[in-house]
Amino acid sequence: RQRFLLWRGILVALICVVVVMGKPLWTHLWEVATVNSVVYTDRKRLELSKCRDYQTIWGLVGVLLMTVVDALQLWLTVSVLLSWVMSSRSKYLFPMPSLPIRPAQFMGEKIANGPMANYGMNVAPMAITWALRFVQAKLELFTAKAMSNAYQQQKREARSQESAEERAARKAAKRAAKLAAKEQAEQQRQETLQQEYQRRKETAEQATQQLFGKTKPKAKQEEDNADYENDDMQAESTDNMDRLLSEEA
């Protein structure tokens, strides 16, 4: 009786020490688990909302099957961790088959028939994890295709119900959006060219100053730079407008 109480006291003391000393680790693990759970639930809500918007039954089936596979993966991971402190025959653990690999089998007949033959590693959890991940990838692809097909079907139905005026207005808005995007990209390109031109001009002035110790008069230099810049901008603007008009036509 006293020996049992002694071992129980030692075990409780060790547990208290582990809990107190590992408090930062437990806190970090709890925060990571909380963040992952929030991300997972938000993703599932988004997938379910997309299935509702697209009105796809097969997409909903795919989301539910992916949830089942995720639950099996979590159960397998927890079972592997608990198998170090619990019996593998427990009904609460994942039903794990035995698929051992014994290194002694590859070390010759003498070692294979000796005591080392009883030691090995069960690779069944790794094989099951790989299989579950493979099924998960296939289910994700199936769900994505189902949602894409449902979206395309809704898009075709909406376009089939459009009138001629609505179709013309939609195409005009699409062309206007493309033209605005091109103009914005062209404006950004012009700004980039202007900055690059200014940088090169400053570099050339510094090089000239270092080589010859003098530069052109400031008024004359600014006049030459302005003329060159205006000619370059006018040529580029003419080319850009011609290209945009040809694309629009």
Side-chain angles (χ1 to χ4, degrees):
R1 177 70 178 178
Q2 292 180 354
R3 183 178 297 178
F4 173 75
L5 294 176
L6 176 62
W7 282 109
R8 188 172 68 176
I10 293 174
L11 181 61
V12 172
L14 290 176
I15 293 175
C16 293
V17 169
V18 171
V19 170
V20 174
M21 297 298 294
K23 184 179 179 181
L25 177 61
W26 310 131
T27 304
H28 179 68
L29 290 177
W30 174 256
E31 292 176 352
V32 171
T34 303
V35 171
N36 290 335
S37 63
V38 171
V39 172
Y40 181 78
T41 53
D42 290 344
R43 187 180 67 182
K44 290 302 174 182
R45 287 196 188 113
L46 178 62
E47 291 174 353
L48 292 175
S49 65
K50 292 297 182 181
C51 291
R52 185 181 63 249
D53 295 339
Y54 299 152
Q55 298 179 357
T56 169
I57 300 298
W58 291 113
L60 180 61
V61 171
V63 172
L64 295 178
L65 290 177
M66 285 193 297
T67 305
V68 173
V69 174
D70 290 335
L72 291 176
Q73 287 182 347
L74 179 61
W75 187 17
L76 176 61
T77 303
V78 174
S79 299
V80 171
L81 294 176
L82 293 179
S83 64
W84 291 89
V85 295
M86 293 178 60
S87 175
S88 59
R89 298 180 180 178
S90 176
K91 63 179 181 179
Y92 299 107
L93 298 183
F94 192 91
M96 198 81 62
S98 179
L99 188 62
I101 292 181
R102 295 181 175 88
Q105 297 175 353
F106 308 98
M107 296 182 180
E109 183 178 358
K110 183 178 180 179
I111 299 177
N113 295 327
M116 290 292 295
N118 297 325
Y119 296 93
M121 180 178 61
N122 188 12
V123 297
M126 291 181 282
I128 296 174
T129 301
W130 179 85
L132 291 176
R133 289 179 179 175
F134 177 79
V135 173
Q136 180 77 6
K138 294 299 182 181
L139 288 174
E140 288 179 355
L141 181 61
F142 170 78
T143 306
K145 286 184 177 179
M147 290 185 180
S148 177
N149 294 334
Y151 172 72
Q152 295 296 334
Q153 182 66 25
Q154 285 187 354
K155 194 174 181 180
R156 286 192 295 268
E157 291 177 355
R159 288 184 176 180
S160 63
Q161 296 176 359
E162 283 183 347
S163 62
E165 293 80 5
E166 293 175 348
R167 188 177 294 106
R170 178 174 57 80
K171 290 182 178 180
K174 187 176 181 180
R175 286 195 299 268
K178 287 184 178 180
L179 184 59
K182 289 180 180 180
E183 291 178 353
Q184 184 177 4
E186 184 63 26
Q187 183 178 2
Q188 292 177 356
R189 194 179 72 85
Q190 292 292 340
E191 293 176 356
T192 304
L193 291 175
Q194 181 66 24
Q195 294 175 0
E196 180 66 17
Y197 169 75
Q198 188 67 25
R199 185 187 66 81
R200 291 184 179 183
K201 184 180 71 173
E202 293 176 356
T203 304
E205 290 178 356
Q206 293 176 1
T208 303
Q209 182 68 26
Q210 292 176 0
L211 290 174
F212 302 105
K214 61 180 181 178
T215 58
K216 294 181 179 181
K218 185 175 181 181
K220 179 63 176 175
Q221 186 176 7
E222 290 180 354
E223 183 179 356
D224 295 341
N225 292 334
D227 294 339
Y228 176 76
E229 182 179 352
N230 290 331
D231 295 340
D232 191 16
M233 295 292 289
Q234 288 178 1
E236 290 183 356
S237 299
T238 304
D239 295 339
N240 294 330
M241 290 302 297
D242 293 339
R243 187 174 64 257
L244 290 175
L245 291 175
S246 62
E247 291 178 356
E248 186 179 0

